[in-house]
């Protein structure tokens, strides 16, 4: 009997770019079609040709609306894909704002590069995809409820299970060619707002499990403990007299905070609090949460998002008007402070002793959020030097991802796994740690690489048919721009720590010297080869 095949086009050896191709009897189905996100060399992969013919894909099964899972769907459709995109109804609604927003950012980015003077003689940059491409891909979406088996294409049966990660998120169970598969998608933690703990079937042939936090364990924090932490921050920020500015992700984190703030206001713990939501995308995402509020398990049908203390800011003028406030809470995106209206609020509030900046989300290396969190005294925002005098605070118990123990518990609950476990969506350290942790539970724990194709027989170990793309190894595992970002975030602080102006200038001269030496080594080598 011929077994179905599985090819890894992304989220293998790395977290983002989720895209898995399942082939059987001349039919081909994708699970996810996401963007690579992170360092520039990784994002460049989004512009490479697809490793398959988009017109030859029969259907897509989509786990959720985060861009690293869905963000290449517009390009897939633009290049000839015409099949159905299956996902939950909430994911469909979220795609309706996420994909057009991503397209606008792609169009603006291409436009910005084309206007650069140093590119005047080069051919124009075209955006990865356009708003029209995003809208065309939305026409292909077919919503499906959780827990119901359906035919994806003839020969492929699927069922979506609650993944507990964000609104609409699902794991994908697939029956194809006699083999029983389960793709975790991204898995949520226990004790999360809105969603029940992740679920799934028991007894599969091959299990694919995400590994984002495969090497991290959190102390378990209950909803009430987290709300108490937020309450303490709000009260302390008020005592200092200024605003409380919270950089947020538009999707899910904003709504979790709003629910927690509504509970705190209504129970009299932080009376008369005024909360401003200053992100058009976050406001639109909140409307979709309102629409699906009956699926959100701890809302109890109540409409917490329409609270008299909440103000959704629309225009740029209104946004600038928030500068006059004091003692208010301002939620604004982007979550890592790299773009969006949050930068304007940081520029205004960072220099003020009375203001508080509260981080509630992951801050990647090299981002403005990370720089502020690590204690920089001055930062550069939109071409201006900004002094940091505000209080910098963080709550790290908000998370949309299962930690190491929760991932292992999820794998355990899927037993018996007769073929094996394939670990995806992780950096090398997280993958290695989870592999260790799961080895005692499941036979054949594998860590596939991008480009690899595996045969997945029922009841037997997966067999590798094709090796991975060696050209990507360096991009995935090392990026000089990461090291550069890391160095530059600390450079000024480290120079300031050097005693005396003269020593500082000497250190700078030596750095220049090293750069010159490498520069001239390259030139002389170049000449020799010429
Ligand atoms: Zn996700």
């Amino acid at each position: 009997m011929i077994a179905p095949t599985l090819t890894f086009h992304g989220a293998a050896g790395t977290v983002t770019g989720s895209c898995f191709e399942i082939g059987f009897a001349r039919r081909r189905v994708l699970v996810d079609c996401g963007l690579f996100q992170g360092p520039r060399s990784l994002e460049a992969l989004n512009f490479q040709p697809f490793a398959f013919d988009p017109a030859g894909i029969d259907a897509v099964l989509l786990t959720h609306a985060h861009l690293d899972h869905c963000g290449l769907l517009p390009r897939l459709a633009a290049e000839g894909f015409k099949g159905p995109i299956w996902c939950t109804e909430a994911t469909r609604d979220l795609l309706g704002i996420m994909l057009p927003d991503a397209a606008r950012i792609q169009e603006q980015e291409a436009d910005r590069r084309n206007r650069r003077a140093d590119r005047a003689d080069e051919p124009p940059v075209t955006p990865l995809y356009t708003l029209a491409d995003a809208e065309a891909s939305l026409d292909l979406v077919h919503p499906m409820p959780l827990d119901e088996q359906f035919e994806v294409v003839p020969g492929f049966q699927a069922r979506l299970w609650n993944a507990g990660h964000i609104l609409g998120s699902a794991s994908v169970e697939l029956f194809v060619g006699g083999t029983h598969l389960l793709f975790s998608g991204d898995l949520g933690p226990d004790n999360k707002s809105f969603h029940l703990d992740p679920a799934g079937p028991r007894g599969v042939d091959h299990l694919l499990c995400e590994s984002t936090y495969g090497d991290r364990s959190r102390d378990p924090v209950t909803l009430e403990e987290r709300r108490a932490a937020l309450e303490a921050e709000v009260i302390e920020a008020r005592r200092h007299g200024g605003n409380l500015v919270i950089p947020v992700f538009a999707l899910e984190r904003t709504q979790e905070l709003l629910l927690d703030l509504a509970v705190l206001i209504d129970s009299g713990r932080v009376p008369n609090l005024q909360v401003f939501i200053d992100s058009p995308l976050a406001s639109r995402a909140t409307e979709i949460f309102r629409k699906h509020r009956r699926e959100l398990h701890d809302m109890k049908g109540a409409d917490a998002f329409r609270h008299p203390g909440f103000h959704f800011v629309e225009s740029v003028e209104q946004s600038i008007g928030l500068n006059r406030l004091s003692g208010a809470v301002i939620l604004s995106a982007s979550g890592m402070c790299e773009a969006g209206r949050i930068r304007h609020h940081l520029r205004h509030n960072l220099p003020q002793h009375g203001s508080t900046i509260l981080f509630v989300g992951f801050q990647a290396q090299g981002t403005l959020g990370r720089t502020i969190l690590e204690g920089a005294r001055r930062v550069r925002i939109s071409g201006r030097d900004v002094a940091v005098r505000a209080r910098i605070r963080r709550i790290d118990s908000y998370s949309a991802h299962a930690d190491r123990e929760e991932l292992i518990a999820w794998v355990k609950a899927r037993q018996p796994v007769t073929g094996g476990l394939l670990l995806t969506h992780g950096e090398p350290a997280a993958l290695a740690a989870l592999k260790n942790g799961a080895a005692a539970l499941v036979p054949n724990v594998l860590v596939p690489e991008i480009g690899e194709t595996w045969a997945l027989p029922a009841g037997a170990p997966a067999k590798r048919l094709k090796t991975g793309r060696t050209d990507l190894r360096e991009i995935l595992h090392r990026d000089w721009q990461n090291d550069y970002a890391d160095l530059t975030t600390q450079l000024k602080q480290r120079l300031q720590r050097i005693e005396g102006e003269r020593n500082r200038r000497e250190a700078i001269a030596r750095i220049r010297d090293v750069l010159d030496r490498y520069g001239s080594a390259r030139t002389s080598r170049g000449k020799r080869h010429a």
Side-chain angles (χ1 to χ4, degrees):
M1 171 118 181
I2 294 170
T5 61
L6 172 59
T7 305
F8 294 83
H9 297 301
T14 189
V15 173
T16 62
S18 182
C19 186
F20 311 117
E21 178 189 345
I22 304 99
F24 186 71
R26 290 201 303 281
R27 302 242 184 224
R28 295 190 299 140
V29 168
L30 295 184
V31 171
D32 288 346
C33 190
L35 281 173
F36 288 97
Q37 292 178 313
R40 205 168 293 178
S41 52
L42 194 57
E43 292 191 346
L45 296 179
N46 297 322
F47 289 85
Q48 284 196 1
F50 282 116
F52 46 82
D53 172 17
I57 300 293
D58 297 290
V60 176
L61 288 153
L62 180 63
T63 60
H64 65 288
H66 274 151
L67 289 178
D68 60 324
H69 292 255
C70 69
L72 277 181
L73 288 172
R75 197 184 148 205
L76 189 75
E79 293 187 17
F81 170 70
K82 291 190 172 59
I85 299 168
W86 302 98
C87 61
T88 62
E89 200 176 312
T91 296
R92 191 243 351 240
D93 291 346
L94 289 170
L95 288 178
I97 58 168
M98 297 298 281
L99 294 180
D101 189 71
R104 266 189 293 270
I105 291 170
Q106 296 292 345
E107 286 178 347
Q108 283 165 4
E109 172 67 12
D111 204 42
R112 194 184 58 80
R113 291 178 64 190
N114 286 329
R115 272 185 283 129
R116 267 172 45 177
D118 59 341
R119 289 199 35 106
D121 299 328
E122 292 180 44
V125 176
T126 50
L128 185 60
Y129 49 80
T130 63
L131 193 54
D133 296 334
E135 268 148 18
S137 69
L138 292 172
D139 289 341
L140 302 174
V141 176
H142 289 247
M144 227 342 126
L146 292 175
D147 309 325
E148 247 177 57
Q149 196 167 317
F150 61 98
E151 186 180 73
V152 182
V153 291
F156 288 67
Q157 295 281 319
R159 178 161 33 192
L160 305 176
W161 294 78
N162 168 45
H165 169 58
I166 60 164
L167 178 64
S169 67
S171 298
V172 173
E173 182 184 21
L174 194 61
F175 301 89
V176 53
T179 298
H180 186 188
L181 303 171
L182 182 66
F183 297 79
S184 69
D186 283 353
L187 295 169
D190 299 342
N191 289 318
K192 187 170 176 333
S193 291
F194 305 140
H195 316 301
L196 297 172
D197 295 349
R202 211 167 238 296
V204 298
D205 292 313
H206 299 277
L207 185 59
L208 283 95
C209 183
E210 67 118 327
S211 319
T212 314
Y213 287 165
D215 57 349
R216 267 179 270 178
S217 303
R218 279 186 301 264
D219 292 332
V221 174
T222 64
L223 277 179
E224 181 38 45
E225 285 167 335
R226 207 178 60 199
R227 279 175 192 154
L230 183 63
E231 176 188 2
E233 291 298 340
V234 172
I235 288 172
E236 195 55 23
R238 274 186 162 183
R239 215 174 56 77
H240 280 77
N243 291 321
L244 174 61
V245 177
I246 311 182
V248 286
F249 301 108
L251 175 52
E252 191 84 12
R253 189 57 40 85
T254 295
Q255 294 78 28
E256 283 177 288
L257 281 168
L258 290 179
L259 174 62
D260 287 354
L261 288 166
V263 169
L264 294 177
I265 297 170
D266 291 345
S267 58
R269 291 158 71 175
V270 287
N272 306 321
L273 194 68
Q274 299 300 308
V275 180
F276 295 84
I277 299 91
D278 190 15
S279 153
L281 186 63
S283 299
R284 286 199 292 273
T286 305
E287 272 308 301
I288 293 169
F289 272 70
R290 277 197 68 234
K291 180 181 165 192
H292 290 274
R293 63 186 178 276
R294 276 169 201 88
E295 298 157 41
L296 304 177
H297 80 102
D298 44 3
M299 295 281 288
K300 301 182 179 73
D303 198 353
F305 301 126
R306 282 246 168 117
H307 193 280
F310 294 170
H311 312 281
F312 291 88
V313 179
E314 292 296 326
S315 69
V316 174
E317 292 72 40
Q318 284 174 309
S319 172
I320 293 168
L322 297 182
N323 286 353
R324 291 192 293 273
L325 293 172
S326 177
V329 175
I330 300 171
L331 308 184
S332 189
S334 71
M336 299 192 204
C337 313
E338 286 292 277
R341 293 184 180 178
I342 185 67
R343 292 172 77 86
H344 147 82
H345 294 298
L346 289 173
R347 211 164 87 179
H348 184 75
N349 283 280
L350 279 173
Q352 304 192 31
H353 287 288
S355 295
T356 302
I357 316 297
L358 174 63
F359 289 94
V360 291
F362 176 71
Q363 304 297 314
Q365 219 149 63
T367 59
L368 176 60
R370 179 72 162 256
T371 308
I372 295 170
L373 197 55
E374 285 182 344
R377 295 283 188 76
R378 300 189 81 80
V379 290
R380 209 152 165 86
I381 303 177
S382 315
R384 278 200 221 169
D385 251 352
V386 178
V388 180
R389 299 190 194 96
R391 300 166 63 242
I392 308 300
R393 305 285 304 162
R394 84 186 291 181
I395 297 177
D396 56 12
S397 50
Y398 285 90
S399 179
H401 276 280
D403 74 352
R404 175 185 164 78
E405 280 66 36
E406 289 161 342
L407 289 171
I408 289 173
W410 184 85
V411 169
K412 205 170 170 184
R414 306 285 83 77
Q415 287 173 318
V417 178
T418 50
L421 171 65
L422 298 115
L423 296 179
T424 57
H425 298 92
E427 300 294 344
L431 289 162
L434 192 59
K435 184 176 177 180
N436 268 333
L441 294 176
V442 179
N444 311 310
V445 185
L446 303 167
V447 180
E449 283 190 36
I450 290 188
E452 285 183 351
T453 299
W454 292 74
L456 302 178
K463 210 173 109 198
R464 188 164 58 195
L465 304 176
K466 184 173 149 283
T467 53
R469 289 184 52 180
T470 47
D471 58 319
L472 296 183
R473 271 182 207 154
E474 195 166 338
I475 293 175
L476 295 180
H477 298 164
R478 184 114 215 105
D479 189 297
W480 73 270
Q481 306 225 35
N482 266 341
D483 297 342
Y484 169 75
D486 214 28
L487 175 72
T488 49
T489 46
Q490 302 167 17
L491 188 58
K492 197 158 183 183
Q493 275 170 294
R494 292 185 67 172
L495 285 168
Q496 277 163 343
R497 255 185 258 142
I498 296 173
E499 201 70 42
E501 162 96 13
R502 202 186 141 144
N503 289 336
R504 257 175 245 148
R505 299 187 73 166
E506 192 183 310
I508 292 171
R510 285 204 189 178
I511 294 170
R512 278 191 215 281
D513 217 41
V514 170
L515 293 175
D516 286 346
R517 246 186 300 145
Y518 277 93
S520 60
R522 158 118 17 114
T523 328
S524 60
R525 241 200 325 271
K527 275 185 192 135
R528 251 202 315 277
H529 287 282

